[in-house]
Amino acid sequence: MAVLLTAMGLVALGGLAALAAGRSSRLATILGAGGSVIGCGLGLVPALSVVLGSAPTGWHEAWDLPGGSFHVGLDALSGFFLVPTLLLSLLAAIYGGEYLRPYAERKSLGRAWFWFNLLVVSMVLVLIARNVVLFLVAWETMALSSFFLVTFEHERAEVREAGWTYLVATHLGTAFLLVMFLLLARSAGSFDFDRMAAVVGLAPALASLIFVLALVGFGTKAGFVPFHVWLPEAHPAAPSHVSAVMSGVMIKTGIYGLLRTLTFLGPPPAWWGWVLVTIGLTSGIFGVLFALAQHDLKRLLAYHSVENIGIITLGLGLGLVGVSLHLPALAVLGFAGGLLHVLNHALFKGLLFLGAGSVLHGTGTLDMDHLGGLLKRMPATGATFLVGAAAIAGLPPLNGFVSEFLIYLGAYRTVTSHGALAVLVPAALGIAGLALIGGLAAACFAKAFGIVFLGEPRGERAAKAHEAGWAMKGPLYALAAGCAVVGLCPWPIVQSLGPVLGTLPGQSVASTGSTLLGTGHLLLLATVVAGLVIGLVGGLVLLRGRLLARRPVEETGTWDCGYARPNARMQYTSSSFAQPLTSLFSLFLRTRRRLTPPEGLFPGRSSFATETPDVCREGIYRPAFGAIERVVGRLRVLQQGRVQLYVLYVVLTLLALLIWKMG
Amino acid sequence: MDGTAILPPAAALLLAPLLLGVINRTKAFFAGRRGRPLLQLYFDLFKLLRKGATYSRTTTWVFRAGPIVGLAAVLAALVLVPLGAVGAPLAFGGDLLVFAYLLCLMRFFTVLAALDTGSSFEGMGASREVLFAALAEPALFLGLAAVAHQSGSLSLSAMIAAIDPATWVSRGPALGLVATALGIVLLAENSRLPVDDPETHLELTMIHEVMVLDYGGPDLAFVLYGAALKLWVLAALLVGLIVPVRTGRPLLDAAAGLAGMLSAAVAIGAVESSRARLRLVRVPKLLVGAMALSALALVLVLR
């Protein structure tokens, strides 16, 4: 524990030093990024050791705040979330050092690094806090530091807009958490997590109320549909290494919070699991469909975060159903699949966001319809992006396949055993939903990689793209290697989930062990097949090389069906590639089309554009916030912009409270 | 694992191209033609393997990786697929997932290779391929779930070995629905009529054929052989389901399986001869229909 706290101290110190370095961007980068790299590297040691089975540790200091105490703890669950958090933060810090350099002329990088390091520290603190007040302070710090990072380029209007959306959403979520924690604290008689976990026999209605509040509060951070609206706005607006951290690990703190809350609530009723499965399927399908309709690479990736949170939630939901209906195999496989997907998503989504950052760095645009052919000019970024794309599509032999395999396996095992409808229906829905999500995700990443990196450049910027430097390529290689390692030797990682699962409700380390052992055997065989694919690829490459060794190998233009003057603009674009899918789901996507058709014998200008705004944002939040604004607008008379007046309000309020207390 | 387990992959490796020959001869018979030789695809493969190669200047290593990854994936899938009652060399709980995802891997690389050429025709084919595949996937997974429930196992070999005439008597309707759904998936995944016309001559209307327009020589041979093997593995699943000959003697079972495969080829030829191609916008409805059939089958067996 002391090591972890020291490590976080170093990160914080690095951030403060960067802020103090002020005008010298170079010094600020060295101090800020250096602090993060050293601190995260150091912090990985205790995090890994607790996941690998060393005893949980804690630290308790009294704190001069009502209900508060500096109580932190490191158990397997915290450790499991800490590992990807620290790892991705470390790599993102290295990457950010080079990525932010072009901004150095017009921005203070000291501030950017201060907020980045503060974000890292607060995320870690959220994961280890064992006191409500400490947790909420860390939670708020996390929200605010990421808000300042999202609005890094605040001179652009759309970035400010995204920042405000994020700020409002995260605070609405926190409001639910506040109520939830107050309810929990009242029944436990304490603000300490340990005491909350010790409460037995929470009234079912109260437990369910707390569960729903947690679902909304933590779900807003995680990006459950329909609370996800901030996500596709904020993630593209932030600098890419921050997007990677936010999408890869920060939103997972929502999942962590939900799991931690579940440990307080005692045995779950089956309907909690059903709700999670429903949310998982909705988020998954919604996320991937909207991702398909996007033209902006980072926006597409942000919607995929919604999809992957859906897959994680689906796994956890099946696990919860398994716990409540006493089906240990489903419980273990569901939870294990969901948790492993947390780690996997951090790896491949971190990789993809950093890859998108390199594209932006090298071309200056993220509009897929202006990109193309980048694999030739950015070979390292392209190859690693392909690894990430294949991994997120769940293809063997990469890591995405492993976690989806576990969730599928849990669902299929349930379907084969003759169980009750209460569990068969969610399992069957899970299978169908995962299959659809998998197919659509493969389609979407074929589009993302194919349109951006393959074919001919669709514009000037893509034609003049340049590859990123080593500080940006290194993290890409590291994350791609991580995807391959988890994909190729999954069983030790799945085995090490044992202690983590032991912390969840209704699970014990002993009972999970045997199921995981059996699954490890199956994964080993699946990996044998994956290894066979790799061996066959090698064999076929050699075979083709030998066949072609003494024969003519020519280069020519692409076959264009006899048309003599093809140009790059005739290629399929991201919108045309996705068009059959978007029109099939048009009822739901509501894509807007602006068409100026060519007219006359010698057509002049004609144009076509599509745009797919978020249906929840347009349909729910915009009208709701419009109504609130109209109502609250009447209170504007109170707000005159004079500090004296506001002080008067404060005094009057205090006076009223005092009278109320006395009386 | 006994020696007979080598039979299913060996039969696939040797006989998969024959299946396409049988389909073509059946179609020729319906059209009143003599048709090309049964072994035409073998001749084509040998001819192509002896040729050089021509690559487009637009393409990268992804284009060259397409046929190789595709063929490797489907070859690896062969070790999981049984032939009738004869089990595959490798069988474990959940191998059906590995099987389905290997086909995904094959498709993913074929699509990327098509986009790598920068041709709008190939982009068009790629776009249609991913749409149909995304819709076919739930039908396949739900159908397999119904069979898995019936047999109480999650490995393809055990699932199919558990289907015997008695199962058809007791669970006929559900199995029939699954077989129909798998049949539709088979036609869609292998670009047969009524989803895609493998004989068409217009690039605009093709799906699978247009994605591989730019290949020649050994690469085209890999593509064609891979496509034949993909047809074989999906047909083997269907045949395992609807030909419940379970004598207990591996050679007899294998012979029944092979006879089933050839009949399946004849049946595909007959379907292709008697059906017009669906309009592209209609294809999703067919696939959603298959999904509904699979779901219904699952409901029937779970009942």
Side-chain angles (χ1 to χ4, degrees):
Chain A
M1 197 72 234
V3 182
L4 186 61
L5 290 178
T6 319
M8 286 310 106
L10 282 175
V11 178
L13 215 61
L16 284 172
L19 191 63
R23 301 232 170 265
S24 167
S25 290
R26 202 155 163 191
L27 188 62
T29 303
I30 292 170
L31 289 169
S36 272
V37 169
I38 295 169
C40 290
L42 190 62
L44 271 172
V45 179
L48 275 170
S49 74
V50 75
V51 172
L52 293 177
S54 71
T57 52
W59 185 290
H60 199 290
E61 281 300 320
W63 202 11
D64 201 12
L65 212 67
S69 68
F70 191 82
H71 185 186
V72 292
L74 182 59
D75 61 356
L77 185 62
S78 299
F80 182 78
F81 280 85
L82 275 176
V83 172
T85 306
L86 292 169
L87 193 68
L88 192 58
S89 303
L90 189 159
L91 294 172
I94 299 176
Y95 182 96
E98 185 181 329
Y99 181 80
L100 287 178
R101 209 174 295 151
Y103 296 93
E105 293 152 19
R106 47 202 176 86
K107 295 251 167 215
S108 149
L109 295 192
R111 237 177 288 164
W113 282 108
F114 172 71
W115 292 121
F116 182 82
N117 288 17
L118 196 60
L119 173 64
V120 175
V121 174
S122 58
M123 280 193 299
V124 171
L125 213 50
V126 162
L127 295 176
I128 60 175
R130 293 290 180 272
N131 174 280
V132 169
V133 178
L134 181 64
F135 181 90
L136 285 174
V137 167
W139 188 261
E140 260 318 274
T141 316
M142 183 172 84
L144 288 177
S145 53
S146 50
F147 164 75
F148 284 109
L149 286 167
V150 166
T151 53
F152 176 65
E153 290 182 75
H154 51 77
E155 64 277 4
R156 283 163 50 201
E158 71 269 22
V159 169
R160 286 199 301 273
E161 165 96 24
W164 290 125
T165 310
Y166 172 47
L167 199 64
V168 171
T170 183
H171 279 103
L172 283 179
T174 310
F176 282 86
L177 291 185
L178 210 59
V179 178
M180 179 203 88
F181 276 124
L182 285 177
L183 287 176
L184 267 172
R186 203 177 57 178
S187 53
S190 159
F191 281 98
D192 257 23
F193 282 8
D194 293 351
R195 297 278 295 277
M196 292 179 180
V199 174
V200 279
L202 211 59
L206 182 62
S208 294
L209 177 63
I210 292 171
F211 174 73
V212 171
L213 289 169
L215 214 55
V216 180
F218 289 122
T220 308
K221 185 61 79 180
F224 293 169
V225 171
F227 314 124
H228 69 284
V229 276
W230 63 273
L231 217 143
E233 306 296 324
H235 288 201
S240 298
H241 65 296
V242 178
S243 321
V245 169
M246 284 176 73
S247 197
V249 289
M250 192 194 81
I251 60 173
K252 308 299 169 31
T253 56
I255 299 289
Y256 165 80
L258 193 59
L259 285 174
R260 185 61 78 189
T261 312
L262 281 174
T263 64
F264 302 153
L265 296 180
W271 70 266
W272 294 4
W274 300 337
V275 169
L276 281 187
V277 169
T278 316
I279 290 179
L281 287 174
T282 324
S283 304
I285 295 172
F286 184 98
V288 72
L289 280 179
F290 272 88
L292 265 166
Q294 303 306 318
H295 315 306
D296 180 291
L297 187 56
K298 276 173 85 174
R299 236 180 129 79
L300 178 147
L301 292 176
Y303 270 115
H304 267 287
S305 294
V306 177
E307 176 229 314
N308 279 284
I309 285 289
I311 295 177
I312 293 169
T313 316
L314 175 65
L316 300 180
L318 286 175
L320 217 51
V321 174
V323 169
S324 72
L325 298 178
H326 307 292
L327 301 162
L330 179 62
V332 170
L333 288 171
F335 280 138
L339 282 174
L340 191 59
H341 207 72
V342 168
L343 173 69
N344 288 341
H345 183 244
L347 291 173
F348 52 62
K349 191 48 73 65
L351 169 59
L352 291 167
F353 262 116
L354 294 185
S358 296
V359 169
L360 181 64
H361 184 80
T363 64
T365 179
L366 282 170
D367 187 345
M368 292 199 271
D369 290 343
H370 290 132
L371 294 168
L374 291 186
L375 188 57
K376 282 185 182 157
R377 286 155 202 86
M378 308 177 73
T381 308
T384 48
F385 197 93
L386 177 58
V387 172
I392 200 172
L395 297 178
L398 294 164
N399 58 352
F401 175 71
V402 180
S403 38
E404 290 190 23
F405 181 81
L406 291 177
I407 302 176
Y408 267 126
L409 202 62
Y412 266 106
R413 281 211 179 148
T414 314
V415 171
T416 45
S417 63
H418 297 245
L421 270 184
V423 60
L424 286 175
V425 173
L429 282 177
I431 290 172
L434 262 185
L436 184 65
I437 294 170
L440 292 173
C444 192
F445 275 93
K447 159 180 143 165
F449 181 76
I451 301 296
V452 173
F453 288 96
L454 302 177
E456 293 285 348
R458 290 180 181 76
E460 188 76 358
R461 287 168 159 181
K464 289 185 181 155
H466 62 86
E467 178 63 290
W470 269 105
M472 282 167 75
K473 281 195 286 189
L476 294 178
Y477 284 129
L479 287 167
C483 291
V485 166
V486 178
L488 285 172
C489 24
W491 59 99
I493 295 162
V494 172
Q495 300 284 289
S496 72
L497 284 174
V500 186
L501 292 177
T503 59
L504 295 177
Q507 303 283 305
S508 71
V509 179
S511 71
T512 56
S514 63
T515 313
L516 284 179
L517 204 67
T519 317
H521 174 65
L522 298 182
L523 280 172
L524 187 64
L525 287 169
T527 317
V528 168
V529 181
L532 185 63
V533 176
I534 296 174
L536 283 166
V537 167
L540 287 171
V541 169
L542 289 179
L543 173 67
R544 186 176 60 188
R546 281 196 71 155
L547 285 174
L548 291 178
R550 299 225 179 101
R551 301 203 196 127
V553 177
E554 294 162 31
E555 293 229 314
T556 174
T558 297
W559 167 242
D560 45 26
C561 308
Y563 183 71
R565 297 280 302 277
N567 70 37
R569 296 223 24 217
M570 287 178 190
Q571 292 175 97
Y572 245 42
T573 60
S574 75
S575 3
S576 44
F577 186 82
Q579 187 271 335
L581 273 161
T582 48
S583 73
L584 186 65
F585 293 97
S586 57
L587 194 69
F588 174 69
L589 287 170
R590 295 165 194 274
T591 300
R592 289 179 195 155
R593 304 150 67 92
R594 286 192 303 276
L595 175 65
T596 319
E599 278 171 6
L601 287 177
F602 300 96
R605 299 183 71 83
S606 58
S607 69
F608 177 68
T610 60
E611 184 196 5
T612 311
D614 196 288
V615 74
C616 289
R617 189 184 168 89
E618 298 296 308
I620 304 174
Y621 294 102
R622 202 178 287 281
F625 277 93
I628 291 173
E629 201 179 343
R630 275 194 299 282
V631 174
V632 179
R634 299 205 186 120
L635 295 178
R636 201 160 276 167
V637 283
L638 293 175
Q639 199 179 12
Q640 301 288 353
R642 288 197 202 148
V643 181
Q644 298 94 315
L645 209 58
Y646 296 153
V647 174
L648 181 67
Y649 293 158
V650 173
V651 171
L652 284 179
T653 313
L654 281 177
L655 205 64
L657 284 173
L658 206 62
I659 293 168
W660 180 59
K661 184 79 186 163
M662 298 299 206
Chain B
M1 186 176 94
D2 54 289
T4 57
I6 204 72
L7 275 175
L13 287 174
L14 287 177
L15 299 177
L18 180 67
L19 226 49
L20 285 161
V22 174
I23 294 178
N24 280 326
R25 280 303 271 267
T26 313
K27 287 165 79 171
F29 169 78
F30 272 91
R33 292 182 281 118
R34 269 184 59 208
R36 50 190 116 155
L38 270 177
L39 301 182
Q40 183 63 48
L41 186 54
Y42 294 94
F43 304 149
D44 289 349
L45 290 176
F46 280 115
K47 182 186 73 185
L48 288 167
L49 285 175
R50 286 201 307 264
K51 290 201 169 211
T54 304
Y55 296 108
S56 157
R57 272 184 291 275
T58 306
T59 58
T60 59
W61 59 267
V62 172
F63 181 76
R64 283 158 219 230
I68 284 183
V69 176
L71 184 56
V74 73
L75 282 173
L78 286 185
V79 302
L80 303 172
V81 180
L83 181 63
V86 188
L90 192 60
F92 55 93
D95 64 3
L96 59 100
L97 299 164
V98 180
F99 168 77
Y101 272 83
L102 283 174
L103 294 188
C104 269
L105 179 66
M106 181 184 191
R107 185 185 317 118
F108 191 69
F109 268 84
T110 312
V111 165
L112 287 187
L115 288 172
D116 200 12
T117 61
S119 149
S120 25
F121 292 114
E122 303 204 19
M124 221 175 266
S127 157
R128 291 167 186 168
E129 173 93 357
V130 294
L131 165 67
F132 299 158
L135 295 177
E137 210 119 290
L140 178 67
F141 276 89
L142 283 177
L144 288 178
V147 184
H149 177 81
Q150 187 50 46
S151 59
S153 166
L154 288 180
S155 100
L156 291 172
S157 297
M159 271 163 63
I160 288 187
I163 307 278
D164 52 18
T167 331
W168 270 95
V169 173
S170 58
R171 292 291 191 181
L175 288 181
L177 289 174
V178 174
T180 317
L182 285 186
I184 296 174
V185 170
L186 166 77
L187 293 176
E189 284 278 323
N190 291 295
S191 345
R192 316 300 308 183
L193 283 169
V195 174
D196 181 16
D197 185 358
E199 314 277 304
T200 182
H201 292 288
L202 188 60
E203 288 89 343
L204 264 178
T205 63
M206 299 176 182
I207 301 174
H208 181 261
E209 297 303 306
V210 76
M211 286 200 294
V212 298
L213 266 186
D214 267 83
Y215 284 115
D219 290 298
L220 186 58
F222 291 171
V223 168
L224 292 177
Y225 190 49
L229 287 174
K230 187 177 175 188
L231 177 66
W232 178 280
V233 290
L234 282 168
L237 283 190
L238 188 60
V239 167
L241 199 62
I242 54 182
V243 184
V245 180
R246 308 287 180 255
T247 59
R249 292 192 196 155
L251 284 179
L252 218 55
D253 284 341
L258 284 181
M261 291 299 282
L262 293 179
S263 335
V266 172
I268 294 173
V271 169
E272 289 210 285
S273 306
S274 58
R275 285 274 159 270
R277 185 191 164 133
L278 284 176
R279 280 169 60 209
L280 280 173
V281 288
R282 288 280 193 80
V283 175
K285 291 180 185 163
L286 180 69
L287 292 169
V288 171
M291 211 188 296
L293 293 182
S294 282
L296 192 58
L298 189 58
V299 170
L300 280 181
V301 294
L302 288 181
R303 182 171 49 105

